[in-house]
Amino acid sequence: MESIALIGASGSLGKAIASALGEKDKHYRVIGRSEASLSATFGDDPHASIATWNPDSPESVRLALDGIDTAIYIVGVNYWQFELHPQLMKKTLDGAIAAGVKKLLLIGTVYPFGKPRTERVNEDHPRKPHTFKGRMRKEQEDLVLAAHATGRIQTAVLRLPDFYGPGVDKSLLWSAFQAAKSGKRAQLIGPIDTPHEFVYLPDAGITIERLISNERAWGHAWNLGAAGVTSTHAMADEIFAQAGRKPKYTVAGKTMLRVFGLFNPLIRELVEMHYLQTSPVIIDDTRLKNLLGDLPKTPYKEGIRQTLAAI
């Protein structure tokens, strides 16, 4: 019987978490709107069972989570529909409590911090988002942590910065991986020489499996950092070098994003979050390391090698 549920499992993070759970011979339920999508990803996985849900239906949420002990929430929304994050979170929490779920972990982002006030951002950094997306993510976090305070369910938050890895097609680096393989020109968001960090997604999966197994994790928000501070430029150069090609880039700054955004809703929404390129949030995850011990941190060169091999 599975006791763990991955809510919104079809994406690359869901696959990484599932892989980490499977390595520990743990069974899990994958939940999403599309049975076809879930079956395509997990149909041959002996550790996975499949359930569909409609988050707008309280009964559907309850049934999808029936019998689950621990839920991991990784539901994504369109980048231009961030108002859905707190709405879906409340419906999920209500359904989880009704189903008797004991624990729920939200996988979040650095957006609620807003512009960093310190060189390294730990869990005590003020959450003062100056963007709409940051406010919606903060509201989502607040709902999760408030639910823990009621005593009806244990909850926690794990925040990730940008990530990359096999199958991660929504990364800032994805264009560089594709271009390095095909010999085309990468489309990057600049400036590309500012400090940045990228979590290797399989490392996040392993960390999440360990976090939900630790009784001291609940009732808190945690930060997970990457293998070190790098830059988009350095990562792209290494990607092209490992592919045996000369780097070729087109770098779009904020003004160019505004122009392209006239024709593309996703690019239009990137303008609001452009501050992360000029005032990057660099994570301090000392507290998480103190909880779990040494954290998996795949070196960038090795992560790039594995990602290229998977394309």
Side-chain angles (χ1 to χ4, degrees):
M1 288 287 291
E2 72 279 0
S3 63
I4 300 169
L6 309 182
I7 309 173
S10 294
S12 52
L13 182 54
K15 298 173 193 174
I17 299 170
S19 176
L21 292 171
E23 286 293 320
K24 297 294 185 179
D25 201 27
K26 294 181 179 180
H27 291 258
Y28 40 87
R29 185 181 304 169
V30 291
I31 299 173
R33 292 178 183 266
S34 169
E35 184 174 359
S37 177
L38 292 170
S39 295
T41 303
F42 299 102
D44 296 327
D45 185 341
H47 292 94
S49 65
I50 293 172
T52 58
W53 77 329
N54 173 8
D56 293 324
S57 165
E59 181 66 5
S60 175
V61 178
R62 187 189 68 77
L63 288 174
L65 292 170
D66 187 49
I68 291 298
D69 177 88
T70 303
I72 303 171
Y73 186 93
I74 44 179
V75 176
V77 302
N78 289 326
Y79 213 52
W80 53 91
Q81 291 183 302
F82 259 49
E83 69 277 3
L84 295 178
H85 273 306
Q87 297 173 24
L88 292 173
M89 192 75 258
K90 184 179 187 309
K91 294 173 183 178
T92 302
L93 285 166
D94 290 344
I97 291 169
V101 174
K102 297 177 182 177
K103 303 167 185 173
L104 182 143
L105 173 67
L106 164 65
I107 308 302
T109 75
V110 301
Y111 291 9
F113 290 123
K115 290 184 178 180
R117 304 182 182 191
T118 55
E119 184 177 351
R120 292 273 183 169
V121 173
N122 67 15
E123 291 85 350
D124 294 329
H125 187 284
R127 292 184 304 146
K128 298 289 185 181
H130 60 288
T131 63
F132 173 75
K133 291 177 180 57
R135 291 194 296 273
M136 292 301 97
R137 281 295 206 172
K138 179 181 181 296
E139 188 174 328
Q140 182 188 44
E141 287 189 358
D142 289 344
L143 286 167
V144 170
L145 296 174
H148 183 88
T150 68
R152 301 171 70 191
I153 188 171
Q154 296 185 74
T155 64
V157 177
L158 178 66
R159 305 185 186 103
L160 306 181
D162 288 328
F163 47 79
Y164 76 107
V168 183
D169 60 358
K170 292 181 174 63
S171 166
L172 289 175
L173 301 173
W174 183 240
S175 177
F177 281 110
Q178 288 183 306
K181 278 289 191 178
S182 66
K184 296 181 180 179
R185 185 176 296 274
Q187 310 296 318
L188 304 178
I189 297 176
I192 61 174
D193 289 307
T194 51
H196 214 93
E197 62 179 344
F198 299 91
V199 166
Y200 185 58
L201 207 56
D203 292 343
I206 295 169
T207 301
I208 290 164
E209 185 278 324
R210 291 171 58 188
L211 186 64
I212 63 171
S213 303
N214 192 306
E215 287 301 321
R216 293 184 294 152
W218 305 102
H220 304 284
W222 307 92
N223 293 348
L224 174 62
V229 179
T230 181
S231 68
T232 301
H233 197 168
M235 291 292 282
D237 278 355
E238 180 64 24
I239 291 167
F240 276 95
Q242 289 199 26
R245 296 185 186 276
K246 182 180 179 180
K248 292 190 295 185
Y249 319 124
T250 295
V251 179
K254 193 172 185 178
T255 299
M256 192 176 293
L257 290 175
R258 283 198 176 100
V259 173
F260 290 160
L262 296 174
F263 312 99
N264 185 308
L266 174 58
I267 295 178
R268 185 183 312 135
E269 296 299 322
L270 292 175
V271 175
E272 180 188 33
M273 306 308 296
H274 187 263
Y275 78 93
L276 289 170
Q277 302 302 113
T278 56
S279 303
V281 175
I282 305 298
I283 289 295
D284 179 345
D285 57 10
T286 302
R287 194 169 297 175
L288 186 63
K289 184 176 180 180
N290 289 340
L291 177 73
L292 300 179
D294 286 340
L295 302 172
K297 300 287 182 80
T298 299
Y300 286 126
K301 285 189 176 183
E302 177 59 18
I304 288 170
R305 187 193 69 78
Q306 293 188 29
T307 303
L308 283 169
I311 297 176

